Amino acid sequence: MAEVAATRTHEELRQVMKHYLARLDPDGPEPDPTEGRSLTFVKHADGSVSGRFELDAVGGEKLQTAIESIVQANRPAGDTRTRAQQSADALVQLCDNALAAGGLPILRTHKPHVVVRVDLEDLIDPTAAAPGAAQTGFGTIISAARARWLACDGGISRIVIGPDGEVLDYGRRQRVSPPPLRRALEARDRGCVFTGCHAPAHWCDVHHLVHWIDGGQTDLENCALLCERHHTKIHHGFRIERQPDGRWRTYRPDGTEILILPRITEEPERSRAG
């Protein structure tokens, strides 16, 4: 052990120690990996969430494999995110994909989905500045602007409440982007239209260029596919625009266009006869 500790790396020492300890009791029972697993969340005052998890070796490998698959599949040109930011975005995208697939367990006859409650006046007013205008299903308070972003590719249910809090009318749920439009967008856009991004279509939300609540039509001309990360960017000052030739352009909040320049390769030096 002393020789290994003096001549090998910390990681190798850890593996050797584990190997020797396992050999001391080769006939011992295999521990139940689920007994040591834990996952806890802490919600902060602004609605953000921190967490801590403990996983066994196999469970951890599954998590890392799932996260890494999305990290490696979504490496847009010009990406300046840190590794930690890439992993966090991948985790959110993983949840997005699972919720959109519709294969998660049914909860009281309903498929699990993100719920947001917002007053109609706050939803339709693009100048609404109140940060606490909407509330999610888990009690987080968000702005009306973020509620409009979530409504881009969601379903809307109208509930009319009387002055004493009683429900007067519970309108039928209406899907903002119907399945036929979704199929048409997938055929046209093929994936996220944000410049430099190659996220596949099944990762993407349907985004309204002119929001439907502001009178924007839910049709091919007014919609585009955006992955979760770039959909968020568009609702924070970035802008996309479709050209007459069908190409998409992306603009930063300051109005400058995001351009992906072709890679320049140097020509090999020609040998001179002499």
Side-chain angles (χ1 to χ4, degrees):
M1 287 296 179
E3 181 182 352
V4 172
T7 60
R8 311 292 281 275
T9 65
H10 290 170
E11 177 62 22
E12 289 178 300
L13 175 61
R14 184 186 66 81
Q15 294 177 358
V16 170
M17 287 290 295
K18 183 177 180 181
H19 172 80
Y20 286 151
L21 290 174
R23 294 302 181 273
L24 290 176
D25 186 18
D27 298 325
E30 181 71 18
D32 182 353
T34 64
E35 292 183 355
R37 294 176 184 171
S38 66
L39 175 62
T40 56
F41 297 109
V42 177
K43 183 176 291 187
H44 305 290
D46 63 352
S48 61
V49 176
S50 298
R52 177 183 175 84
F53 64 86
E54 297 289 341
L55 295 176
D56 60 282
V58 175
E61 189 72 15
K62 291 178 180 179
L63 176 64
Q64 291 179 83
T65 301
I67 295 295
E68 189 66 18
S69 68
I70 293 183
V71 168
Q72 295 303 324
N74 186 24
R75 300 174 64 186
D79 191 358
T80 59
R81 291 174 296 166
T82 65
R83 176 67 187 192
Q85 289 173 321
Q86 291 177 344
S87 297
D89 285 338
L91 180 59
V92 175
Q93 185 67 65
L94 184 66
C95 296
D96 231 24
N97 294 351
L99 289 168
L104 295 175
I106 300 297
L107 302 175
R108 296 183 181 272
T109 74
H110 292 284
K111 292 180 180 180
H113 55 280
V114 175
V115 176
V116 178
R117 297 175 179 85
V118 58
D119 290 342
L120 180 61
E121 292 78 8
D122 292 319
L123 185 62
I124 65 177
D125 183 6
T127 64
Q135 185 176 24
T136 67
F138 281 98
T140 299
I141 303 299
I142 61 175
S143 66
R146 179 158 290 191
R148 285 192 290 272
W149 156 43
L150 290 173
C152 263
D153 191 20
I156 302 296
S157 295
R158 183 187 75 253
I159 302 177
V160 180
I161 299 177
D164 296 324
E166 73 276 16
V167 176
L168 302 180
D169 178 49
Y170 191 95
R172 186 177 64 180
R173 179 176 178 271
Q174 178 183 356
R175 180 72 184 176
V176 175
S177 54
L181 173 63
R182 172 84 196 197
R183 290 193 294 270
L185 285 168
E186 290 180 353
R188 187 194 69 185
D189 295 343
R190 306 293 181 88
C192 181
V193 302
F194 198 97
T195 299
C197 185
H198 303 288
H202 61 273
W203 285 17
C204 297
D205 300 328
V206 176
H207 169 70
H208 288 68
L209 303 182
V210 177
H211 202 283
W212 64 273
I213 203 69
D214 299 325
Q217 296 296 313
T218 303
D219 55 23
L220 272 175
E221 294 301 318
N222 191 48
C223 292
L225 292 182
L226 289 167
C227 70
E228 192 276 339
R229 175 170 174 257
H230 288 130
H231 194 185
T232 305
K233 293 292 186 185
I234 294 300
H235 283 270
H236 284 79
F238 286 76
R239 180 172 58 88
I240 55 173
E241 184 179 281
R242 191 167 187 264
Q243 304 302 301
D245 61 2
R247 293 187 302 115
W248 287 94
R249 289 184 173 179
T250 306
Y251 299 90
R252 301 180 182 89
D254 62 6
T256 59
E257 183 178 0
I258 296 178
L259 299 174
I260 304 300
L261 301 177
R263 181 176 297 177
I264 299 176
T265 57
E266 296 181 358
E267 293 184 2
E269 184 178 354
R270 297 177 180 177
S271 59
R272 297 179 180 179

